[in-house]
Amino acid sequence: MSDSMTFDPAQLRERHEAVVARIEAACGRAGRSPSEVTLVAVTKTWPAELAIAAYQAGMRDFGENRPEELAWKRPAVEAVVGAQNGITWHMIGTLQSRKTDETADFADVFHALDRQKIAGRLSRRLTENGRQLPTFIEVNVSGEASKSGLDLSRWREDATQVAALRTMIQDINRLPGLPLLGLMTMAPWDAEPDVIRAVFRSTRELSSRLADEVAGFPSQLSMGMTDDFEIAIEEGATHVRVGRALFGERAR
Ligand SMILES: *Cc1c(COP(=O)(O)O)cnc(C)c1O
């Protein structure tokens, strides 16, 4: 549970170092460089004071999943540490179309684009504001019904699923303001490690297939959370989104 210790920069620095050490060990096992992996510290549900303490402990990439929360938290953090702070704010949650303006205004990276309509609305607002929002497309390769993301659950057998994704990539590439970074995925809840690994591996293989088929398709991969970020790194993740391992259990 949350307690005052959670907001102590010294304790947060220790937690951060422990997660970074686990990232480095996973990179070592996979023969990868830790510099390829961005740790997104997921501050969702926590007050701005927690993000400020995390900043003082050295964290610079923060993840939020509700646009309205990002829209108050970012200014609250900037009010204390200044606007030129080196922080990158990541919107990691799926969007409803009425939340696109807040995301376009306050996020620096978007991890969960899953619909053309959302892309169009974001692009329009970004163009008005002269902003860019580098973006991941969220794919669902596990087929779990509760999961968001474009359906790629049978992408190896079903050519229409890959075609739908290719079309979405080409459409987004024509929109100003939304440079693509790659694919994002979520592992199924409560699955065995080898099932989770298979989901991450399938996402990486889908990404390589797209790189072969779509000129210039970038191959970054946002995958892995507290319970599975090491597996994700072994399978090629470039962005891991970690909350509880850094900040403890969320109150909601
Ligand atoms: C909450 C959340 C996370 C972080 O989850 P933890 O289990 O706390 O690491 C990562 N990604 C998304 C999309 C989330 O909503």
Side-chain angles (χ1 to χ4, degrees), residues 77 114 121 130 236:
V77 170
D114 62 350
R121 291 178 62 102

Side-chain angles (χ1 to χ4, degrees), residues 148-165:
S148 47
L150 202 63
D151 183 8
L152 274 302
S153 55
R154 301 180 62 255
W155 68 267
R156 289 175 209 277
E157 304 86 51
D158 184 349
T160 63
Q161 291 192 343
V162 181
L165 176 53

Side-chain angles (χ1 to χ4, degrees), residues 62 83 85 88 170 188-189 208 232 249:
F62 296 128
N85 50 38
T88 300
Q170 284 155 354
W189 302 115
S208 335
E249 293 295 328

